[in-house]
Structures are given as structure tokens and as C-alpha cells.
Amino acid sequence: MRRHAIVRPGAVVLAVLLTSAPLRPAAADGTAPPTPIRYSEVARESGIDFTHVNGASGEKYYVETMGSGACWFDYDNDGDADLYVVNSAALPGFTAARKPSSHLYRNDGKGKFTDVTVEAGVGGTGYGMGCVAGDVDGDGDLDLYVTNFGPNVLYRNLGNGKFLDVTAEAGVAGGGWSASAAFADIDNDGDLDLYVTRYIDFTLENNKYCGQLKPGYRAYCHPDEYNGVADLLFRNKGDGHFEDVSRAAGIANPIGKGLGVVFTDVNDDGWPDIYVANDQTINFLYLNQKDGTFKDISVLSGAGFSESGACSPAWAPTRGTSTGTAAWI
């Protein structure tokens, strides 16, 4: 389970793997020791100049604590992995010289990246959380889906270095606080469907006060202060549109506080199953029933809790909490 920490604005770090001579002498039997793994930070010199902005203004909006993600995908089909980095956005009371946005960096295959955000049309300015790439229309080009605190975005790859926002047409905006997403063909019909995890029922309007009631002592609330929200499952209809089948498929569990999701075939039957990592509550394992529905086997499979039967990390309430609630400093 995820331990909570305050996420502050920071620059992207790109590390390259280096090898070096063994640091330890050979073993008595003559075998060489493992070569140590070392990394060197090369983001700036590679052309990746990005700083994450969480939009914090002192109001301790819970969304500020999460930060955002990135994804590698070959958007131009040249054989090199390109990088999309998701940014957050300004929150009430926050000011910035320029509006934060996400960025796409094209890889030249020689260790250098070029910022192609504007020409590609993917400079989203929503409060971003994560991203995932997949060929949703089967044209051979990878499309891009971005999860947000607020409406999500689906960018269709036009195959010429540009993307088109087709969120409204596709019907995959979702809503609320989405965290992660994953593509898979859940019904084996040849096209990619979409699963979106959603975190908690938090809005800017229901931002609770946690901490001591005196200047400088407000803190971020613990996630238990907010209810969970059901995840979303969209079935690809193959015509550019998706259908929300969350309830019909049996995955709309409102106790979830989803942060991560992965598709895998856990029982080797040729159909993708779903595993969801939740925060402060049971994780979900959904078994594909091959008829458009999933069976929740989280408890029976033993995949719902830790080996000790717990589902929440160790934490302590803030000393002097005046509201009687737990909080993270």
C-alpha cells in the first residue's frame, strides 16, 4: 500500500544506466562478482527540461500530495521511445508566470530529446495525474490517454506527428479524481478497452480542515477522511466510441480508492483479468467471466490484503488535531 507524503514541485530526472568494473575481488571459486548498477542523471543535457507544478497555495488541497506521472511510447513509429510527462495545474490562490502544461519530448534515437508539445497538440493544462498509450483505433499509431483531477483526455494519433483531442466523441472523459489507466482487449474482439482507477471523493469544495486551528498548523487530511469512488471501465465499440460498462461488468465498487491498475491473465484462460491497487482499503482482483462481466475474487484469491491481513500502512494522527481527524503534515 502507498505511504502518503507531500509532493512538492520538482524537475524531471532522466537516468541512464552505466556499467563499471567490479568493485569487489573475484570469489574464491574464481567467479566474478556481479557488476554494480549505476545511473547518471542526464535530463537537462538530453533536452528534457520539465518542472512539475502542484499548484499549492497553502489551502492544503489533498490533490496536491499526489504529483503526476509519465509514459514512454513511440508516438512517431521511428523505433525510439518518446516521453510524455504529465503536469498538474494551478489551484485557487496559486499564481504562476505561465500556465503549467504537460509536455511531449521526441527521441532522436541518439540520446537527445526535442520538445514537440505545441506541434503535436498535447499540451494539456488540466490537473494531470497519469497517462497510458495504446492503439485504440487500430491504425498502427499509438494514441494517448491522460487521467486528471477532473475530466480525462483522449488524444488520437493522426500519424503525422500530431494528435487530436477526441475525448467528447469517444465518451471517455470520466470525471472526479482519476489516477491510473490501462488498455486491454477485455472481450477479445480485437480492439482495446479502457480501465480507469479513481481515487477518493475529493473536490475543491469539500476540502476538509485537518490540523491545529492556528496559523501555519493546517495539515493534509488522511485519505480515510474521504469516501472511495467507483472505478470506470469503457468498452471500445470499434467505431471511435466507447461505452461505459462499469456497472454491467461488475467493477463499480464504491469502496475502492484506486491508484494503480494492471491487466493480466491470472488463470491462463486467454482472457485478461484486472488487478487494482487501492489505498487504505482492500485491493481488487477481478476474474474475467468471458461474457462481458468480471467476478470479484479479491478475498478468496488472497490478493486483496497483505500477508498480515492488513490493507493500510502505519500512520499516526497529528498531535493536537482540533477537528478530531487524522492528518499528514
Side-chain angles (χ1 to χ4, degrees):
M1 285 296 176
R2 185 181 188 278
R3 286 188 182 274
H4 287 260
I6 297 173
V7 178
R8 295 184 175 86
V12 163
V13 173
L14 176 66
V16 293
L17 177 63
L18 304 175
T19 58
S20 62
L23 298 180
R24 293 177 294 170
D29 61 1
T31 59
T35 300
I37 296 176
R38 294 182 176 181
Y39 290 87
S40 177
E41 201 281 288
V42 296
R44 289 293 176 90
E45 64 187 78
S46 297
I48 300 174
D49 186 4
F50 175 91
T51 299
H52 174 257
V53 177
N54 70 355
S57 62
E59 292 300 313
K60 300 294 184 180
Y61 292 112
Y62 191 71
V63 68
E64 299 167 10
T65 68
M66 284 299 181
S68 52
C71 50
W72 293 97
F73 72 115
D74 185 6
Y75 87 96
D76 52 4
N77 277 333
D78 65 350
D80 304 310
D82 309 295
L83 176 66
Y84 187 78
V85 189
V86 180
N87 210 345
S88 300
L91 294 170
F94 176 88
T95 57
R98 58 181 180 178
K99 196 171 187 178
S101 72
S102 299
H103 286 262
L104 176 63
Y105 296 93
R106 181 171 56 81
N107 188 347
D108 70 355
K110 301 176 182 178
K112 298 295 182 182
F113 291 80
T114 302
D115 190 333
V116 295
T117 308
V118 175
E119 62 190 76
V122 291
T125 56
Y127 202 100
M129 286 286 122
C131 56
V132 62
D135 185 4
V136 300
D137 52 5
D139 65 353
D141 298 307
L142 291 175
D143 308 296
L144 179 66
Y145 187 75
V146 181
T147 58
N148 290 314
F149 172 60
N152 303 321
V153 180
L154 175 62
Y155 295 106
R156 183 166 66 85
N157 194 330
L158 301 180
N160 59 359
K162 300 181 183 297
F163 289 79
L164 179 66
D165 184 342
V166 296
T167 312
E169 173 188 348
V172 290
W177 183 347
S178 298
S180 300
F183 286 116
D185 185 4
I186 62 169
D187 47 8
N188 281 346
D189 65 352
D191 46 42
L192 292 179
D193 309 295
L194 174 65
Y195 192 102
V196 181
T197 67
R198 294 198 294 178
Y199 188 38
I200 56 175
D201 184 20
F202 170 84
T203 66
L204 298 183
E205 292 71 31
N206 72 1
N207 187 41
K208 299 181 180 181
Y209 193 105
C210 292
Q212 297 183 43
L213 291 173
K214 59 182 181 179
Y217 280 78
R218 185 169 187 174
Y220 292 102
C221 294
H222 187 277
D224 283 353
E225 291 298 315
Y226 297 93
N227 294 326
V229 182
D231 294 336
L232 299 171
L233 180 60
F234 296 100
R235 186 179 65 83
N236 192 335
K237 300 173 71 174
D239 59 358
H241 299 85
F242 287 75
E243 176 186 7
D244 185 343
V245 296
S246 309
R247 290 186 178 277
I251 64 90
N253 190 335
I255 72 167
K257 297 180 180 180
L259 286 176
V261 57
V262 62
F263 281 101
T264 187
D265 185 1
V266 299
N267 58 353
D268 250 353
D269 65 353
W271 293 73
D273 310 299
I274 306 167
Y275 187 74
V276 179
N278 289 310
D279 193 15
Q280 307 297 317
T281 187
I282 184 173
N283 297 321
F284 298 148
L285 179 57
Y286 295 115
L287 198 65
N288 197 322
Q289 300 299 288
K290 311 175 191 177
D291 59 359
T293 67
F294 289 81
K295 181 180 180 181
D296 186 345
I297 60 169
S298 310
V299 176
L300 293 179
S301 66
F305 301 96
S306 70
E307 64 276 9
S308 63
C311 64
S312 63
W315 63 279
T318 300
R319 182 173 298 173
T321 301
S322 59
T323 58
T325 59
W328 293 100
I329 300 296

